[in-house]
Amino acid sequence: MIIGGASFLGGRGHLGHALIGAIMIGVIRNALNLLNVNVFFQLIVIGVVIVIAVESDVLRNYLEGRVRFLQAGRQS
């Protein structure tokens, strides 16, 4: 899931997951404000968090597909 919403690679999102994702972004943004981080760098940090979330979603889907492939090979 990408920050709580639906995956880019298909699937369905849930309202609760989207809410958790929005809260996570809000907490990160609030922490950066409390640390007096420049707004420009805050945007960079939020962007990096989103890129990491997308990449982890792609990696998770790849690994799940690989495991399914290996399990199907064992059953043959």
Short mmCIF file of all heavy atoms in Angstrom, two decimals:
data_model
loop_
_atom_site.label_atom_id
_atom_site.label_comp_id
_atom_site.label_asym_id
_atom_site.label_seq_id
_atom_site.Cartn_x
_atom_site.Cartn_y
_atom_site.Cartn_z
N MET A 1 0.84 -1.18 0.00
CA MET A 1 0.00 0.00 0.00
C MET A 1 0.88 1.24 0.00
O MET A 1 1.92 1.25 0.63
CB MET A 1 -0.87 0.04 1.24
CG MET A 1 -1.73 -1.14 1.42
SD MET A 1 -3.38 -0.71 0.99
CE MET A 1 -4.15 -2.24 1.29
N ILE A 2 0.44 2.22 -0.67
CA ILE A 2 1.21 3.45 -0.74
C ILE A 2 0.61 4.45 0.24
O ILE A 2 -0.46 4.99 0.00
CB ILE A 2 1.20 3.99 -2.17
CG1 ILE A 2 1.81 2.96 -3.09
CG2 ILE A 2 1.93 5.31 -2.24
CD1 ILE A 2 1.78 3.32 -4.51
N ILE A 3 1.30 4.66 1.33
CA ILE A 3 0.87 5.57 2.40
C ILE A 3 -0.62 5.37 2.70
O ILE A 3 -1.39 6.30 2.78
CB ILE A 3 1.17 7.04 2.04
CG1 ILE A 3 2.59 7.21 1.58
CG2 ILE A 3 0.94 7.95 3.24
CD1 ILE A 3 3.64 6.97 2.62
N GLY A 4 -1.03 4.14 2.80
CA GLY A 4 -2.37 3.82 3.27
C GLY A 4 -3.43 3.70 2.20
O GLY A 4 -4.51 3.21 2.46
N GLY A 5 -3.18 4.13 0.98
CA GLY A 5 -4.19 4.06 -0.07
C GLY A 5 -4.07 2.76 -0.85
O GLY A 5 -3.46 1.80 -0.41
N ALA A 6 -4.64 2.76 -2.03
CA ALA A 6 -4.58 1.58 -2.88
C ALA A 6 -3.21 1.47 -3.54
O ALA A 6 -2.55 2.47 -3.78
CB ALA A 6 -5.67 1.65 -3.94
N SER A 7 -2.83 0.28 -3.84
CA SER A 7 -1.55 0.02 -4.48
C SER A 7 -1.58 0.52 -5.92
O SER A 7 -2.61 0.47 -6.59
CB SER A 7 -1.24 -1.47 -4.46
OG SER A 7 -0.11 -1.75 -5.23
N PHE A 8 -0.43 0.97 -6.44
CA PHE A 8 -0.33 1.35 -7.84
C PHE A 8 -0.46 0.13 -8.74
O PHE A 8 -0.80 0.23 -9.91
CB PHE A 8 1.00 2.03 -8.13
CG PHE A 8 1.04 3.48 -7.80
CD1 PHE A 8 2.22 4.07 -7.44
CD2 PHE A 8 -0.09 4.26 -7.86
CE1 PHE A 8 2.28 5.41 -7.14
CE2 PHE A 8 -0.06 5.60 -7.56
CZ PHE A 8 1.13 6.18 -7.20
N LEU A 9 -0.17 -1.04 -8.21
CA LEU A 9 -0.17 -2.26 -9.00
C LEU A 9 -1.50 -2.99 -8.92
O LEU A 9 -1.59 -4.16 -9.26
CB LEU A 9 0.97 -3.17 -8.55
CG LEU A 9 2.36 -2.54 -8.67
CD1 LEU A 9 3.41 -3.47 -8.10
CD2 LEU A 9 2.67 -2.18 -10.10
N GLY A 10 -2.53 -2.34 -8.48
CA GLY A 10 -3.84 -2.96 -8.39
C GLY A 10 -4.24 -3.20 -6.95
O GLY A 10 -3.46 -3.02 -6.03
N GLY A 11 -5.45 -3.58 -6.77
CA GLY A 11 -5.95 -3.82 -5.42
C GLY A 11 -6.92 -2.72 -5.01
O GLY A 11 -7.23 -1.81 -5.77
N ARG A 12 -7.39 -2.82 -3.82
CA ARG A 12 -8.38 -1.87 -3.32
C ARG A 12 -7.87 -1.25 -2.03
O ARG A 12 -7.26 -1.91 -1.22
CB ARG A 12 -9.69 -2.60 -3.05
CG ARG A 12 -10.26 -3.21 -4.32
CD ARG A 12 -11.44 -4.07 -4.05
NE ARG A 12 -12.51 -3.29 -3.46
CZ ARG A 12 -13.74 -3.70 -3.33
NH1 ARG A 12 -14.07 -4.90 -3.73
NH2 ARG A 12 -14.65 -2.95 -2.77
N GLY A 13 -8.13 0.03 -1.90
CA GLY A 13 -7.76 0.73 -0.69
C GLY A 13 -8.90 0.71 0.31
O GLY A 13 -10.03 0.33 0.00
N HIS A 14 -8.60 1.09 1.51
CA HIS A 14 -9.60 1.15 2.56
C HIS A 14 -9.54 2.52 3.20
O HIS A 14 -8.48 3.14 3.28
CB HIS A 14 -9.33 0.08 3.63
CG HIS A 14 -9.34 -1.31 3.10
ND1 HIS A 14 -10.51 -1.99 2.87
CD2 HIS A 14 -8.35 -2.14 2.73
CE1 HIS A 14 -10.22 -3.18 2.40
NE2 HIS A 14 -8.90 -3.30 2.29
N LEU A 15 -10.68 2.99 3.65
CA LEU A 15 -10.75 4.32 4.25
C LEU A 15 -9.85 4.40 5.48
O LEU A 15 -9.13 5.38 5.66
CB LEU A 15 -12.20 4.64 4.64
CG LEU A 15 -12.42 5.99 5.31
CD1 LEU A 15 -12.01 7.11 4.36
CD2 LEU A 15 -13.85 6.14 5.73
N GLY A 16 -9.83 3.37 6.29
CA GLY A 16 -8.99 3.36 7.48
C GLY A 16 -7.51 3.44 7.14
O GLY A 16 -6.76 4.17 7.79
N HIS A 17 -7.10 2.73 6.10
CA HIS A 17 -5.70 2.77 5.69
C HIS A 17 -5.33 4.14 5.16
O HIS A 17 -4.23 4.65 5.43
CB HIS A 17 -5.42 1.71 4.63
CG HIS A 17 -5.56 0.31 5.14
ND1 HIS A 17 -5.73 -0.76 4.30
CD2 HIS A 17 -5.56 -0.19 6.39
CE1 HIS A 17 -5.83 -1.85 5.01
NE2 HIS A 17 -5.73 -1.53 6.30
N ALA A 18 -6.22 4.76 4.39
CA ALA A 18 -5.96 6.10 3.87
C ALA A 18 -5.86 7.10 5.01
O ALA A 18 -5.02 8.00 4.99
CB ALA A 18 -7.04 6.51 2.89
N LEU A 19 -6.69 6.93 6.03
CA LEU A 19 -6.65 7.82 7.19
C LEU A 19 -5.33 7.66 7.95
O LEU A 19 -4.72 8.66 8.35
CB LEU A 19 -7.84 7.52 8.12
CG LEU A 19 -7.99 8.41 9.34
CD1 LEU A 19 -8.20 9.87 8.91
CD2 LEU A 19 -9.17 7.95 10.17
N ILE A 20 -4.89 6.44 8.12
CA ILE A 20 -3.61 6.19 8.79
C ILE A 20 -2.47 6.81 8.00
O ILE A 20 -1.55 7.42 8.57
CB ILE A 20 -3.39 4.68 9.00
CG1 ILE A 20 -4.36 4.15 10.06
CG2 ILE A 20 -1.95 4.38 9.41
CD1 ILE A 20 -4.39 2.64 10.18
N GLY A 21 -2.51 6.69 6.68
CA GLY A 21 -1.48 7.29 5.83
C GLY A 21 -1.46 8.81 5.95
O GLY A 21 -0.40 9.42 6.04
N ALA A 22 -2.64 9.42 5.98
CA ALA A 22 -2.72 10.87 6.13
C ALA A 22 -2.20 11.31 7.50
O ALA A 22 -1.50 12.33 7.60
CB ALA A 22 -4.16 11.33 5.94
N ILE A 23 -2.50 10.54 8.52
CA ILE A 23 -1.99 10.86 9.86
C ILE A 23 -0.48 10.72 9.90
O ILE A 23 0.21 11.56 10.50
CB ILE A 23 -2.68 9.97 10.92
CG1 ILE A 23 -4.15 10.38 11.07
CG2 ILE A 23 -1.96 10.06 12.26
CD1 ILE A 23 -4.97 9.43 11.92
N MET A 24 0.06 9.71 9.24
CA MET A 24 1.52 9.53 9.20
C MET A 24 2.20 10.74 8.55
O MET A 24 3.18 11.26 9.08
CB MET A 24 1.88 8.26 8.42
CG MET A 24 1.66 6.99 9.17
SD MET A 24 1.95 5.50 8.17
CE MET A 24 3.54 5.83 7.46
N ILE A 25 1.66 11.19 7.43
CA ILE A 25 2.23 12.36 6.76
C ILE A 25 2.10 13.59 7.64
O ILE A 25 3.03 14.40 7.76
CB ILE A 25 1.55 12.59 5.40
CG1 ILE A 25 1.85 11.43 4.45
CG2 ILE A 25 1.97 13.93 4.78
CD1 ILE A 25 3.29 11.32 4.03
N GLY A 26 0.98 13.72 8.32
CA GLY A 26 0.78 14.85 9.24
C GLY A 26 1.75 14.84 10.40
O GLY A 26 2.29 15.89 10.78
N VAL A 27 2.01 13.66 10.95
CA VAL A 27 2.95 13.55 12.08
C VAL A 27 4.37 13.89 11.62
O VAL A 27 5.09 14.61 12.31
CB VAL A 27 2.89 12.13 12.69
CG1 VAL A 27 4.05 11.87 13.62
CG2 VAL A 27 1.57 11.95 13.43
N ILE A 28 4.74 13.39 10.44
CA ILE A 28 6.07 13.70 9.92
C ILE A 28 6.20 15.21 9.68
O ILE A 28 7.21 15.83 10.05
CB ILE A 28 6.34 12.91 8.62
CG1 ILE A 28 6.45 11.43 8.93
CG2 ILE A 28 7.60 13.41 7.93
CD1 ILE A 28 6.45 10.53 7.70
N ARG A 29 5.19 15.80 9.07
CA ARG A 29 5.22 17.24 8.79
C ARG A 29 5.27 18.05 10.09
O ARG A 29 6.02 19.03 10.20
CB ARG A 29 4.01 17.62 7.97
CG ARG A 29 4.11 18.97 7.33
CD ARG A 29 3.01 19.15 6.34
NE ARG A 29 3.24 18.23 5.23
CZ ARG A 29 3.07 18.57 3.97
NH1 ARG A 29 2.66 19.77 3.66
NH2 ARG A 29 3.29 17.71 3.02
N ASN A 30 4.50 17.63 11.09
CA ASN A 30 4.50 18.33 12.38
C ASN A 30 5.86 18.21 13.07
O ASN A 30 6.37 19.19 13.62
CB ASN A 30 3.39 17.77 13.28
CG ASN A 30 3.23 18.58 14.54
OD1 ASN A 30 3.34 19.80 14.52
ND2 ASN A 30 2.95 17.89 15.64
N ALA A 31 6.45 17.02 13.01
CA ALA A 31 7.77 16.83 13.63
C ALA A 31 8.81 17.71 12.94
O ALA A 31 9.65 18.32 13.62
CB ALA A 31 8.18 15.36 13.53
N LEU A 32 8.74 17.80 11.63
CA LEU A 32 9.68 18.65 10.91
C LEU A 32 9.47 20.13 11.26
O LEU A 32 10.44 20.89 11.36
CB LEU A 32 9.56 18.42 9.41
CG LEU A 32 10.01 17.03 8.92
CD1 LEU A 32 9.67 16.84 7.45
CD2 LEU A 32 11.48 16.81 9.17
N ASN A 33 8.22 20.53 11.45
CA ASN A 33 7.94 21.91 11.88
C ASN A 33 8.50 22.17 13.27
O ASN A 33 9.08 23.24 13.51
CB ASN A 33 6.43 22.19 11.88
CG ASN A 33 5.93 22.55 10.50
OD1 ASN A 33 6.66 23.09 9.68
ND2 ASN A 33 4.67 22.24 10.25
N LEU A 34 8.33 21.22 14.17
CA LEU A 34 8.83 21.40 15.53
C LEU A 34 10.36 21.45 15.56
O LEU A 34 10.94 22.09 16.44
CB LEU A 34 8.33 20.26 16.43
CG LEU A 34 6.84 20.29 16.74
CD1 LEU A 34 6.44 19.03 17.51
CD2 LEU A 34 6.47 21.53 17.52
N LEU A 35 10.99 20.79 14.60
CA LEU A 35 12.45 20.81 14.51
C LEU A 35 12.96 22.01 13.71
O LEU A 35 14.16 22.13 13.45
CB LEU A 35 12.95 19.51 13.87
CG LEU A 35 12.73 18.25 14.69
CD1 LEU A 35 13.06 17.02 13.87
CD2 LEU A 35 13.57 18.29 15.96
N ASN A 36 12.05 22.89 13.32
CA ASN A 36 12.37 24.10 12.54
C ASN A 36 13.10 23.78 11.24
O ASN A 36 14.04 24.47 10.84
CB ASN A 36 13.21 25.08 13.38
CG ASN A 36 12.41 25.69 14.50
OD1 ASN A 36 11.21 25.93 14.35
ND2 ASN A 36 13.06 25.88 15.64
N VAL A 37 12.64 22.74 10.57
CA VAL A 37 13.21 22.38 9.27
C VAL A 37 12.58 23.29 8.22
O VAL A 37 11.37 23.56 8.24
CB VAL A 37 12.94 20.89 8.94
CG1 VAL A 37 13.41 20.54 7.55
CG2 VAL A 37 13.59 20.01 9.98
N ASN A 38 13.41 23.77 7.29
CA ASN A 38 12.94 24.64 6.23
C ASN A 38 11.84 23.93 5.42
O ASN A 38 11.90 22.72 5.20
CB ASN A 38 14.13 24.98 5.32
CG ASN A 38 13.81 26.03 4.28
OD1 ASN A 38 12.66 26.26 3.93
ND2 ASN A 38 14.86 26.66 3.78
N VAL A 39 10.85 24.69 4.95
CA VAL A 39 9.72 24.13 4.21
C VAL A 39 10.20 23.40 2.96
O VAL A 39 9.65 22.35 2.59
CB VAL A 39 8.71 25.24 3.85
CG1 VAL A 39 7.60 24.71 2.98
CG2 VAL A 39 8.14 25.87 5.10
N PHE A 40 11.21 23.92 2.30
CA PHE A 40 11.76 23.27 1.11
C PHE A 40 12.23 21.86 1.45
O PHE A 40 11.94 20.90 0.72
CB PHE A 40 12.92 24.10 0.55
CG PHE A 40 13.62 23.47 -0.60
CD1 PHE A 40 13.04 23.44 -1.86
CD2 PHE A 40 14.87 22.89 -0.43
CE1 PHE A 40 13.68 22.85 -2.93
CE2 PHE A 40 15.53 22.31 -1.50
CZ PHE A 40 14.93 22.28 -2.75
N PHE A 41 12.94 21.72 2.55
CA PHE A 41 13.44 20.40 2.94
C PHE A 41 12.31 19.51 3.46
O PHE A 41 12.39 18.28 3.34
CB PHE A 41 14.55 20.54 3.97
CG PHE A 41 15.78 21.19 3.41
CD1 PHE A 41 16.19 22.42 3.85
CD2 PHE A 41 16.51 20.57 2.41
CE1 PHE A 41 17.32 23.03 3.32
CE2 PHE A 41 17.64 21.15 1.86
CZ PHE A 41 18.04 22.39 2.31
N GLN A 42 11.27 20.10 4.03
CA GLN A 42 10.11 19.31 4.44
C GLN A 42 9.47 18.63 3.23
O GLN A 42 9.11 17.46 3.29
CB GLN A 42 9.07 20.19 5.14
CG GLN A 42 9.47 20.66 6.50
CD GLN A 42 8.39 21.48 7.17
OE1 GLN A 42 7.22 21.39 6.81
NE2 GLN A 42 8.78 22.28 8.14
N LEU A 43 9.35 19.38 2.14
CA LEU A 43 8.77 18.80 0.92
C LEU A 43 9.65 17.67 0.39
O LEU A 43 9.14 16.65 -0.09
CB LEU A 43 8.61 19.88 -0.15
CG LEU A 43 7.56 20.95 0.14
CD1 LEU A 43 7.61 22.05 -0.91
CD2 LEU A 43 6.18 20.33 0.22
N ILE A 44 10.95 17.85 0.49
CA ILE A 44 11.87 16.80 0.04
C ILE A 44 11.70 15.55 0.90
O ILE A 44 11.62 14.43 0.39
CB ILE A 44 13.32 17.30 0.06
CG1 ILE A 44 13.52 18.35 -1.03
CG2 ILE A 44 14.31 16.14 -0.11
CD1 ILE A 44 14.86 19.02 -1.00
N VAL A 45 11.61 15.72 2.22
CA VAL A 45 11.46 14.57 3.13
C VAL A 45 10.15 13.85 2.85
O VAL A 45 10.12 12.61 2.76
CB VAL A 45 11.55 15.03 4.60
CG1 VAL A 45 11.13 13.91 5.53
CG2 VAL A 45 12.95 15.51 4.92
N ILE A 46 9.06 14.60 2.69
CA ILE A 46 7.76 13.97 2.40
C ILE A 46 7.83 13.23 1.06
O ILE A 46 7.33 12.11 0.93
CB ILE A 46 6.63 15.02 2.39
CG1 ILE A 46 6.47 15.65 3.77
CG2 ILE A 46 5.32 14.41 1.92
CD1 ILE A 46 6.07 14.69 4.87
N GLY A 47 8.47 13.82 0.08
CA GLY A 47 8.63 13.15 -1.21
C GLY A 47 9.43 11.88 -1.11
O GLY A 47 9.09 10.85 -1.72
N VAL A 48 10.50 11.90 -0.32
CA VAL A 48 11.32 10.71 -0.14
C VAL A 48 10.52 9.62 0.57
O VAL A 48 10.61 8.43 0.21
CB VAL A 48 12.62 11.05 0.64
CG1 VAL A 48 13.33 9.79 1.11
CG2 VAL A 48 13.54 11.90 -0.22
N VAL A 49 9.72 10.00 1.55
CA VAL A 49 8.87 9.01 2.25
C VAL A 49 7.90 8.36 1.26
O VAL A 49 7.72 7.14 1.27
CB VAL A 49 8.12 9.68 3.42
CG1 VAL A 49 7.02 8.78 3.95
CG2 VAL A 49 9.08 10.06 4.52
N ILE A 50 7.32 9.16 0.38
CA ILE A 50 6.38 8.61 -0.59
C ILE A 50 7.11 7.70 -1.58
O ILE A 50 6.61 6.63 -1.93
CB ILE A 50 5.61 9.74 -1.30
CG1 ILE A 50 4.67 10.40 -0.29
CG2 ILE A 50 4.83 9.22 -2.50
CD1 ILE A 50 3.99 11.65 -0.80
N VAL A 51 8.28 8.10 -2.03
CA VAL A 51 9.06 7.26 -2.95
C VAL A 51 9.43 5.94 -2.29
O VAL A 51 9.33 4.87 -2.91
CB VAL A 51 10.32 8.00 -3.45
CG1 VAL A 51 11.29 7.06 -4.14
CG2 VAL A 51 9.93 9.15 -4.37
N ILE A 52 9.82 5.98 -1.03
CA ILE A 52 10.15 4.75 -0.30
C ILE A 52 8.91 3.87 -0.17
O ILE A 52 8.99 2.65 -0.33
CB ILE A 52 10.76 5.08 1.08
CG1 ILE A 52 12.17 5.67 0.90
CG2 ILE A 52 10.81 3.84 1.97
CD1 ILE A 52 12.76 6.23 2.18
N ALA A 53 7.75 4.48 0.08
CA ALA A 53 6.51 3.70 0.19
C ALA A 53 6.17 3.04 -1.14
O ALA A 53 5.78 1.86 -1.17
CB ALA A 53 5.37 4.60 0.65
N VAL A 54 6.32 3.76 -2.24
CA VAL A 54 6.04 3.19 -3.56
C VAL A 54 7.01 2.04 -3.85
O VAL A 54 6.60 0.97 -4.31
CB VAL A 54 6.13 4.28 -4.66
CG1 VAL A 54 6.09 3.65 -6.04
CG2 VAL A 54 5.02 5.29 -4.50
N GLU A 55 8.28 2.27 -3.59
CA GLU A 55 9.28 1.24 -3.86
C GLU A 55 9.04 0.00 -3.00
O GLU A 55 9.19 -1.14 -3.47
CB GLU A 55 10.69 1.79 -3.62
CG GLU A 55 11.78 0.88 -4.09
CD GLU A 55 11.73 0.57 -5.56
OE1 GLU A 55 11.35 1.45 -6.35
OE2 GLU A 55 12.05 -0.58 -5.93
N SER A 56 8.67 0.18 -1.74
CA SER A 56 8.41 -0.98 -0.88
C SER A 56 7.17 -1.73 -1.35
O SER A 56 7.12 -2.96 -1.26
CB SER A 56 8.27 -0.55 0.58
OG SER A 56 7.13 0.24 0.76
N ASP A 57 6.18 -1.02 -1.89
CA ASP A 57 4.99 -1.66 -2.42
C ASP A 57 5.34 -2.50 -3.64
O ASP A 57 4.91 -3.65 -3.78
CB ASP A 57 3.94 -0.62 -2.79
CG ASP A 57 2.64 -1.24 -3.26
OD1 ASP A 57 2.09 -2.10 -2.54
OD2 ASP A 57 2.19 -0.88 -4.36
N VAL A 58 6.16 -1.96 -4.53
CA VAL A 58 6.59 -2.70 -5.72
C VAL A 58 7.40 -3.92 -5.30
O VAL A 58 7.20 -5.02 -5.82
CB VAL A 58 7.40 -1.78 -6.66
CG1 VAL A 58 8.06 -2.58 -7.76
CG2 VAL A 58 6.50 -0.70 -7.23
N LEU A 59 8.31 -3.75 -4.35
CA LEU A 59 9.14 -4.86 -3.88
C LEU A 59 8.28 -5.94 -3.22
O LEU A 59 8.48 -7.14 -3.46
CB LEU A 59 10.20 -4.37 -2.90
CG LEU A 59 11.15 -5.41 -2.35
CD1 LEU A 59 11.97 -6.04 -3.46
CD2 LEU A 59 12.05 -4.79 -1.30
N ARG A 60 7.32 -5.54 -2.42
CA ARG A 60 6.43 -6.50 -1.77
C ARG A 60 5.66 -7.31 -2.80
O ARG A 60 5.56 -8.54 -2.71
CB ARG A 60 5.46 -5.79 -0.82
CG ARG A 60 4.52 -6.74 -0.09
CD ARG A 60 3.52 -5.99 0.76
NE ARG A 60 2.74 -5.04 0.00
CZ ARG A 60 1.59 -5.35 -0.63
NH1 ARG A 60 1.12 -6.58 -0.59
NH2 ARG A 60 0.93 -4.43 -1.29
N ASN A 61 5.11 -6.64 -3.82
CA ASN A 61 4.37 -7.35 -4.86
C ASN A 61 5.28 -8.29 -5.64
O ASN A 61 4.88 -9.40 -6.00
CB ASN A 61 3.70 -6.36 -5.81
CG ASN A 61 2.47 -5.74 -5.20
OD1 ASN A 61 1.78 -6.37 -4.40
ND2 ASN A 61 2.18 -4.51 -5.55
N TYR A 62 6.50 -7.87 -5.90
CA TYR A 62 7.46 -8.74 -6.60
C TYR A 62 7.76 -9.98 -5.77
O TYR A 62 7.76 -11.10 -6.29
CB TYR A 62 8.75 -7.98 -6.89
CG TYR A 62 9.85 -8.87 -7.39
CD1 TYR A 62 9.85 -9.34 -8.70
CD2 TYR A 62 10.88 -9.28 -6.55
CE1 TYR A 62 10.86 -10.18 -9.16
CE2 TYR A 62 11.89 -10.11 -7.00
CZ TYR A 62 11.87 -10.56 -8.30
OH TYR A 62 12.86 -11.40 -8.74
N LEU A 63 8.02 -9.79 -4.49
CA LEU A 63 8.35 -10.92 -3.63
C LEU A 63 7.16 -11.87 -3.47
O LEU A 63 7.34 -13.09 -3.45
CB LEU A 63 8.84 -10.43 -2.27
CG LEU A 63 10.20 -9.72 -2.28
CD1 LEU A 63 10.51 -9.16 -0.90
CD2 LEU A 63 11.29 -10.64 -2.78
N GLU A 64 5.95 -11.32 -3.36
CA GLU A 64 4.77 -12.19 -3.28
C GLU A 64 4.61 -13.01 -4.55
O GLU A 64 4.29 -14.20 -4.49
CB GLU A 64 3.51 -11.35 -3.03
CG GLU A 64 3.38 -10.82 -1.63
CD GLU A 64 2.15 -9.96 -1.44
OE1 GLU A 64 1.44 -9.68 -2.45
OE2 GLU A 64 1.90 -9.55 -0.31
N GLY A 65 4.83 -12.39 -5.70
CA GLY A 65 4.74 -13.12 -6.96
C GLY A 65 5.81 -14.20 -7.06
O GLY A 65 5.55 -15.30 -7.55
N ARG A 66 7.00 -13.89 -6.59
CA ARG A 66 8.10 -14.86 -6.61
C ARG A 66 7.79 -16.05 -5.71
O ARG A 66 8.02 -17.20 -6.08
CB ARG A 66 9.38 -14.17 -6.15
CG ARG A 66 10.59 -14.98 -6.28
CD ARG A 66 11.05 -15.06 -7.71
NE ARG A 66 12.27 -15.86 -7.74
CZ ARG A 66 12.54 -16.74 -8.66
NH1 ARG A 66 11.73 -16.90 -9.67
NH2 ARG A 66 13.64 -17.43 -8.61
N VAL A 67 7.24 -15.78 -4.52
CA VAL A 67 6.88 -16.86 -3.60
C VAL A 67 5.79 -17.73 -4.21
O VAL A 67 5.85 -18.96 -4.15
CB VAL A 67 6.45 -16.29 -2.23
CG1 VAL A 67 5.77 -17.34 -1.38
CG2 VAL A 67 7.63 -15.69 -1.51
N ARG A 68 4.78 -17.10 -4.84
CA ARG A 68 3.72 -17.88 -5.49
C ARG A 68 4.30 -18.76 -6.60
O ARG A 68 3.89 -19.90 -6.77
CB ARG A 68 2.65 -16.95 -6.06
CG ARG A 68 1.71 -16.45 -5.03
CD ARG A 68 0.51 -15.77 -5.68
NE ARG A 68 0.12 -14.67 -4.83
CZ ARG A 68 0.26 -13.39 -5.10
NH1 ARG A 68 0.71 -13.00 -6.27
NH2 ARG A 68 -0.09 -12.46 -4.25
N PHE A 69 5.23 -18.21 -7.37
CA PHE A 69 5.86 -18.96 -8.45
C PHE A 69 6.61 -20.16 -7.90
O PHE A 69 6.51 -21.27 -8.43
CB PHE A 69 6.81 -18.04 -9.23
CG PHE A 69 7.57 -18.74 -10.31
CD1 PHE A 69 6.96 -19.07 -11.50
CD2 PHE A 69 8.91 -19.05 -10.13
CE1 PHE A 69 7.65 -19.71 -12.50
CE2 PHE A 69 9.63 -19.68 -11.13
CZ PHE A 69 8.99 -20.03 -12.32
N LEU A 70 7.37 -19.95 -6.83
CA LEU A 70 8.14 -21.05 -6.24
C LEU A 70 7.22 -22.11 -5.63
O LEU A 70 7.49 -23.32 -5.72
CB LEU A 70 9.11 -20.51 -5.20
CG LEU A 70 10.26 -19.65 -5.75
CD1 LEU A 70 11.06 -19.05 -4.62
CD2 LEU A 70 11.13 -20.46 -6.67
N GLN A 71 6.12 -21.68 -5.01
CA GLN A 71 5.18 -22.65 -4.44
C GLN A 71 4.50 -23.45 -5.53
O GLN A 71 4.26 -24.64 -5.37
CB GLN A 71 4.15 -21.93 -3.57
CG GLN A 71 4.70 -21.43 -2.26
CD GLN A 71 3.69 -20.62 -1.47
OE1 GLN A 71 2.67 -20.20 -2.00
NE2 GLN A 71 4.00 -20.40 -0.21
N ALA A 72 4.18 -22.80 -6.63
CA ALA A 72 3.54 -23.52 -7.74
C ALA A 72 4.51 -24.54 -8.34
O ALA A 72 4.10 -25.61 -8.76
CB ALA A 72 3.08 -22.54 -8.81
N GLY A 73 5.80 -24.22 -8.36
CA GLY A 73 6.80 -25.15 -8.87
C GLY A 73 6.95 -26.37 -8.00
O GLY A 73 7.21 -27.48 -8.49
N ARG A 74 6.77 -26.21 -6.71
CA ARG A 74 6.89 -27.35 -5.79
C ARG A 74 5.71 -28.29 -5.91
O ARG A 74 5.84 -29.48 -5.70
CB ARG A 74 6.97 -26.85 -4.34
CG ARG A 74 8.34 -26.42 -3.95
CD ARG A 74 8.40 -26.22 -2.46
NE ARG A 74 9.02 -24.93 -2.23
CZ ARG A 74 8.80 -24.16 -1.19
NH1 ARG A 74 7.96 -24.55 -0.26
NH2 ARG A 74 9.39 -23.02 -1.05
N GLN A 75 4.54 -27.75 -6.21
CA GLN A 75 3.33 -28.56 -6.28
C GLN A 75 3.25 -29.37 -7.57
O GLN A 75 2.49 -30.32 -7.66
CB GLN A 75 2.09 -27.69 -6.15
CG GLN A 75 1.97 -27.06 -4.78
CD GLN A 75 0.80 -26.10 -4.71
OE1 GLN A 75 0.11 -25.87 -5.68
NE2 GLN A 75 0.59 -25.54 -3.52
N SER A 76 4.01 -28.99 -8.57
CA SER A 76 3.95 -29.71 -9.86
C SER A 76 4.61 -31.06 -9.80
O SER A 76 5.49 -31.38 -9.15
CB SER A 76 4.63 -28.87 -10.93
OG SER A 76 3.94 -27.68 -11.11
#
